[in-house]
Amino acid sequence: MSWGTELWDQFDNLEKHTQWGIDILEKYIKFVKERTEIELSYAKQLRNLAKKYQPKKNSKEEEEYRYTACKAFLSTLNEMNDYAGQHEVISENMTSNITVELARYVQELKQERKSHFHDGRKAQQHIEICWKQLESSKRRFERDCKEADRAQQYFEKMDADINVTKADVEKARQQAQVRHQMAEDSKADYSSILQKFNHEQHEYYHTHIPNIFQKIQEMEERRIVRIGDSMKTYAEVDRQVIPIIGKCLDEIVKAANSIDQKNDSQLVIEAYKSGFEPPGDIEFEDYTQPMKRTVSDNSLSNSRGEGKPELKFGGKSKGKLWPFIKKNKLMSLLTSPHQPPPPPPASASPSAVPNGPQSPKQQKEPLSHRFNEFMTSKPKIHCFRSLKRGLSLKLGATPEDFSNLPPEQRRKKLQQKVDELNKEIQKEMDQRDAITKMKDVYLKNPQMGDPASLDHKLTEVSQNIEKLRLESQKFEAWLAEVEGRLPARSEQARRQSGMFDAQNPATVNNCAQDRESPDGSYTEEQSQEGEVKVLATDFDDEFDEEEPLPAIGTCKALYTFEGQNEGTISVVEGETLYVIEEDKGDGWTRIRRNEDEEGYVPTSYVEVYLDKNAKDS
C-alpha cells in the first residue's frame, strides 16, 4: 500500500511521524554511544584491577611468583588485560560502525525529509493559489451576472415608462448590453479558471502528492532498514570478540590446570629449609646423683658417661628472674660474636695462621664476673653501645656474608650473589673484548680513531673485572665454607671446601686480630682485663633460676685459634673440648674447656662430634 493514495490528506501527520522516526534513530545513536562509554569504563576498570594485583618489582611479592599457583594468578591478570582489550575493541567498532555512520545518515535523512516536505508545501501553496483564483473569478462572475440582471430590469422599466425620453431608454438599453457582455466575459473567465483548477487539483491529488508521499515513504522505510542493520551490527561487534574472549578464558583455565601442588611444596622446602639436623631424643637426667654448683652461671660440664664430670649446682637462690629475657639468651647475646668467623688457615700448623705474633693467652674469668664488671664499671660504659650494636645485628641487620641466615638459606643467598657477580664479570669481559677489537681496528686503520684513546677505558674495565673477581672469590669462599658444614655434605666435600679456602689466600684473613669487637663495638684493651673485678653478689643471684647449658657433644680443634675478641675462646690444635651450642648458621660454635672457660670458636676450626640423642640448646 502506498502512502500517496491512502494518506493523501494526512500531510501534517506524516510530517510528525517522520520527525518521530528521526528522533528514534537519534535515541538509538545515544544508546550505542552510552554503551561504548560503558565498555571503555569497564575495560579501564579491568586494567586497573589487573595492574593493582600485579607483583611489584624488586619486592617480596615478586619472589612469591615462583609458585605455580601465583604464576597461574599472574597469567589470569595478563588474560584480564587482553579481556579488557576486547571490550575496548567493542567500543571502537561500535563507535565507528554504528555511532559515526548513523550520525552521518541522520544528517542526510534530515536534509532529504526537509526537501520532500518543502516540495509538498510548495504543491499545497500552488493549489491554494489556484483555488483562490477560482473563488475570485467565481465571485466576479456572480457579481457581473447580478449587475447585468439589474441593468436589464432597469432597461425594461425605462422602456415601459411613457414619461421617459427615448434617449434615456436607449442609454439604459446600452448599459444593459454592457453588463450582459461583462457577465459573459466573467462567465468565460470563470469557466477557464475552473477547468484549470480542476486540472491542477487532479494533478495535486493524483500525481504530485502521491509522488512526494511515496518518496517520504521510501525514506522512512530506508530509515527502518538502516536501524535494523545497525542493530545487527551491534550484535555482530559483540560476536566478533567472543572467540578472543573465549581464548582468554581458555588460557585462564589452562593456567589453572598448570598449577602443580607438588612443585609448590618443593619450592617451600627450598625457600625455608635451614639445613639443621632435627633434635635427637632427650636423655634421662638422674637427679639422684650428687650435683654441685659451677663457678660460671652458664658453663656446665656434661655427664656423658662414666669418668666424666657430673652436673654441679649450688649457691643460694632468691627466686629472682632477669626481666624480659632468660639468662642464657642474654649471655648468648652478650658473648656471641656477630661477625663472620675467619676462614681456616691454609696450613694446619700454628705457624701458618696469619695472626702475627701471638699474645699470651689470657685466663678467662667467669662470665658472670665479666657481666657484673661492665654493668658496674664506669670506664667500660661503652659496652652498652656494644650490646646495642650486637643486638641490632642479631635482630635485623644483614651482614655481607648472610651469616644471620640458617645454613641452607645462607647457601642459596651466597650462590645467588656468586651468580650475579659472575654475570657482571662476563659483562665486563665482553666489554673488554669489544674495546680490544676496536683498538685493533684503530691500529690497522689509524684514520678511524686513535688507539691510545681506548687505553684508559680498557684499564678501567680491567680494574672492574679484578674487583669483581676478588668479590666473587670472597663469596665463593663463604659458599664453600657453608657447603662444607651442611649435614647433607660428605667428609670429602668438607675437605674440598678446605682446599678451596687454602687456594684463595686473599680471603683467608683472621678478622679477629685487627678489627673491632665482633659485635661492631670497640675491643676491650689488655689494661682493662687487669682491672679490679667486681665480685658477683646479689646481681649474680638474678640468674640462679636458669640452669647452665649442658654439653651436647665434643669437638677437636683442627687449627690453633687466638680468641682475643670478646665472646671468643682460644684453642690449640688437637685440643678436645665440650660443645654446648651448635653452629646456628653464623659460622660460630660455642664450646667449653672447663667450668670457668667457655666461648665461641669458628666452626671451620673444629671438628664436632655430637651425641646421638643430644638436644640442640
Side-chain angles (χ1 to χ4, degrees):
M1 301 298 292
S2 174
W3 288 6
T5 57
E6 301 295 332
L7 303 177
W8 58 270
D9 56 346
Q10 299 298 320
F11 185 89
D12 294 338
N13 287 333
L14 284 181
E15 188 175 18
K16 293 178 182 178
H17 178 77
T18 52
Q19 182 59 46
W20 170 83
I22 292 176
D23 294 341
I24 288 292
L25 195 57
E26 290 179 335
K27 183 186 293 186
Y28 181 74
I29 293 173
K30 185 178 180 182
F31 160 76
V32 176
K33 185 177 181 181
E34 291 183 4
R35 164 72 189 277
T36 59
E37 292 173 355
I38 290 173
E39 292 292 341
L40 282 178
S41 175
Y42 181 52
K44 182 179 180 181
Q45 291 177 11
L46 285 179
R47 290 191 183 278
N48 291 339
L49 180 66
K51 182 179 179 181
K52 176 182 178 181
Y53 286 92
Q54 285 282 350
K56 298 179 177 60
K57 292 184 177 180
N58 302 323
S59 68
K60 185 179 179 182
E61 290 183 7
E62 196 171 20
E63 296 180 2
E64 295 173 355
Y65 280 79
R66 298 173 300 166
Y67 300 100
T68 56
C70 294
K71 288 180 180 178
F73 179 52
L74 185 60
S75 298
T76 301
L77 295 179
N78 294 332
E79 293 302 327
M80 288 309 296
N81 268 326
D82 296 339
Y83 188 92
Q86 298 311 307
H87 285 277
E88 291 173 346
V89 170
I90 290 176
S91 176
E92 292 173 2
N93 290 342
M94 284 188 176
T95 299
S96 60
N97 297 339
I98 299 178
T99 306
V100 175
E101 292 295 328
L102 283 186
R104 183 166 53 248
Y105 176 70
V106 164
Q107 296 301 322
E108 296 174 356
L109 190 64
K110 287 181 177 179
Q111 291 295 329
E112 183 180 359
R113 174 181 174 277
K114 181 179 180 181
S115 174
H116 292 325
F117 282 98
H118 176 72
D119 293 341
R121 287 194 179 87
K122 190 176 180 180
Q124 280 185 337
Q125 291 174 358
H126 178 69
I127 197 69
E128 287 175 359
I129 291 172
C130 292
W131 172 256
K132 289 179 180 179
Q133 289 178 352
L134 177 62
E135 287 294 318
S136 176
S137 64
K138 181 180 178 181
R139 286 194 298 272
R140 187 169 59 251
F141 173 57
E142 181 182 8
R143 185 181 64 249
D144 289 344
C145 286
K146 288 180 179 179
E147 291 292 334
D149 187 52
R150 284 198 296 270
Q152 183 65 29
Q153 291 178 0
Y154 180 74
F155 167 69
E156 290 177 356
K157 182 179 178 183
M158 293 292 290
D159 188 44
D161 191 358
I162 59 172
N163 297 322
V164 177
T165 62
K166 188 175 181 180
D168 292 334
V169 173
E170 184 61 26
K171 183 178 180 181
R173 185 180 63 78
Q174 290 178 356
Q175 186 67 26
Q177 288 178 352
V178 170
R179 291 297 179 182
H180 279 289
Q181 186 61 41
M182 290 176 64
E184 290 294 332
D185 292 341
S186 296
K187 181 179 179 182
D189 185 49
Y190 170 67
S191 177
S192 174
I193 291 176
L194 179 61
Q195 290 179 1
K196 181 181 179 182
F197 174 79
N198 289 333
H199 175 73
E200 292 294 339
Q201 182 175 259
H202 184 275
E203 289 293 321
Y204 175 80
Y205 286 111
H206 294 86
T207 303
H208 297 311
I209 288 299
N211 289 338
I212 293 172
F213 281 12
Q214 184 66 29
K215 291 178 181 178
I216 294 174
Q217 181 181 356
E218 293 173 357
M219 176 194 72
E220 187 68 9
E221 289 175 354
R222 285 198 307 273
R223 178 193 65 81
I224 295 171
V225 171
R226 188 63 177 267
I227 197 171
D229 293 340
S230 299
M231 290 179 181
K232 292 179 182 179
T233 305
Y234 179 88
E236 192 62 30
V237 167
D238 259 344
R239 195 188 305 276
Q240 287 174 355
V241 301
I242 287 177
I244 303 177
I245 292 178
K247 288 181 180 179
C248 294
L249 300 178
D250 292 341
E251 289 297 324
I252 293 176
V253 174
K254 183 178 178 181
N257 292 333
S258 68
I259 296 177
D260 185 355
Q261 67 275 13
K262 298 296 183 184
N263 181 73
D264 286 2
S265 299
Q266 184 61 33
L267 289 176
V268 173
I269 294 174
E270 295 176 2
Y272 300 110
K273 181 180 178 182
S274 68
F276 294 134
E277 290 288 344
D281 297 337
I282 301 176
E283 290 185 353
F284 175 75
E285 299 181 18
D286 191 357
Y287 291 99
T288 61
Q289 299 296 328
M291 296 170 286
K292 62 180 180 178
R293 175 70 172 171
T294 59
V295 179
S296 176
D297 281 335
N298 64 340
S299 62
L300 181 64
S301 300
N302 185 21
S303 176
R304 299 169 57 220
E306 296 182 3
K308 296 183 179 179
E310 297 176 347
L311 299 175
K312 300 176 183 179
F313 292 94
K316 58 184 178 178
S317 174
K318 294 183 180 180
K320 298 179 181 178
L321 294 176
W322 181 257
F324 308 118
I325 59 175
K326 293 183 179 179
K327 180 210 66 171
N328 284 333
K329 292 183 180 178
L330 177 62
M331 285 298 144
S332 176
L333 288 178
L334 291 174
T335 60
S336 172
H338 302 294
Q339 69 179 22
S347 172
S349 64
S351 61
V353 180
N355 284 336
Q358 300 181 3
S359 58
K361 182 171 63 176
Q362 299 284 338
Q363 177 68 23
K364 295 294 180 181
E365 304 163 19
L367 294 177
S368 60
H369 291 187
R370 298 189 56 135
F371 185 77
N372 278 292
E373 181 187 356
F374 91 46
M375 291 290 288
T376 58
S377 179
K378 291 183 179 178
K380 296 185 180 182
I381 195 66
H382 64 269
C383 290
F384 285 110
R385 292 195 298 271
S386 304
L387 174 61
K388 183 178 179 182
R389 294 180 185 179
L391 285 173
S392 66
L393 266 178
K394 201 81 174 177
L395 295 176
T398 303
E400 186 182 12
D401 64 344
F402 306 106
S403 58
N404 61 318
L405 298 176
E408 181 65 24
Q409 302 305 316
R410 184 184 180 196
R411 182 191 65 78
K412 289 174 61 179
K413 288 288 185 182
L414 289 172
Q415 185 64 53
Q416 182 180 356
K417 188 69 177 178
V418 169
D419 293 341
E420 291 176 359
L421 288 172
N422 288 336
K423 289 181 180 178
E424 291 293 329
I425 291 173
Q426 186 61 42
K427 187 186 297 184
E428 293 290 336
M429 291 177 67
D430 293 341
Q431 187 176 359
R432 183 184 63 183
D433 294 342
I435 295 174
T436 304
K437 291 180 181 178
M438 186 178 294
K439 185 175 181 180
D440 293 340
V441 172
Y442 287 175
L443 288 172
K444 294 178 181 179
N445 302 286
Q447 66 275 10
M448 296 183 67
D450 183 13
S453 63
L454 300 176
D455 291 340
H456 175 70
K457 184 66 176 177
L458 195 60
T459 304
E460 182 181 349
V461 172
S462 299
Q463 290 175 354
N464 291 341
I465 293 175
E466 187 62 28
K467 289 179 183 178
L468 290 172
R469 280 179 176 169
L470 291 176
E471 189 79 5
S472 178
Q473 287 176 3
K474 179 174 67 175
F475 281 95
E476 285 174 355
W478 284 331
L479 179 61
E481 178 187 346
V482 172
E483 290 179 343
R485 291 202 313 270
L486 286 176
R489 304 282 292 184
S490 63
E491 288 299 323
Q492 181 181 1
R494 297 187 184 192
R495 289 194 294 271
Q496 291 174 354
S497 176
M499 292 172 61
F500 183 88
D501 292 336
Q503 293 171 1
N504 291 274
T507 63
V508 180
N509 293 317
N510 192 344
C511 305
Q513 279 297 91
D514 22 22
R515 279 193 188 178
E516 294 178 342
S517 62
D519 60 356
S521 64
Y522 300 101
T523 307
E524 292 188 10
E525 293 129 0
Q526 297 297 329
S527 61
Q528 292 177 344
E529 292 287 340
E531 291 179 4
V532 179
K533 306 296 187 293
V534 181
L535 295 177
T537 55
D538 291 345
F539 187 84
D540 197 24
D541 294 334
E542 300 286 349
F543 304 94
D544 287 346
E545 287 297 317
E546 284 291 329
E547 297 179 2
L549 292 174
I552 59 174
T554 59
C555 67
K556 180 181 179 181
L558 300 177
Y559 315 101
T560 297
F561 173 71
E562 292 292 332
Q564 294 185 355
N565 288 11
E566 178 138 354
T568 61
I569 185 172
S570 300
V571 295
V572 181
E573 179 182 359
E575 186 179 4
T576 301
L577 306 103
Y578 292 106
V579 178
I580 60 174
E581 190 173 304
E582 246 187 308
D583 185 357
K584 297 300 183 183
D586 55 2
W588 295 91
T589 299
R590 191 173 177 183
I591 64 171
R592 178 188 296 128
R593 176 177 287 108
N594 52 45
E595 297 176 353
D596 298 330
E597 287 188 276
E598 68 177 50
Y600 286 83
V601 295
T603 304
S604 57
Y605 276 61
V606 295
E607 188 170 3
V608 179
Y609 306 94
L610 296 178
D611 287 350
K612 182 178 180 182
N613 297 323
K615 181 180 179 183
D616 187 5
S617 61

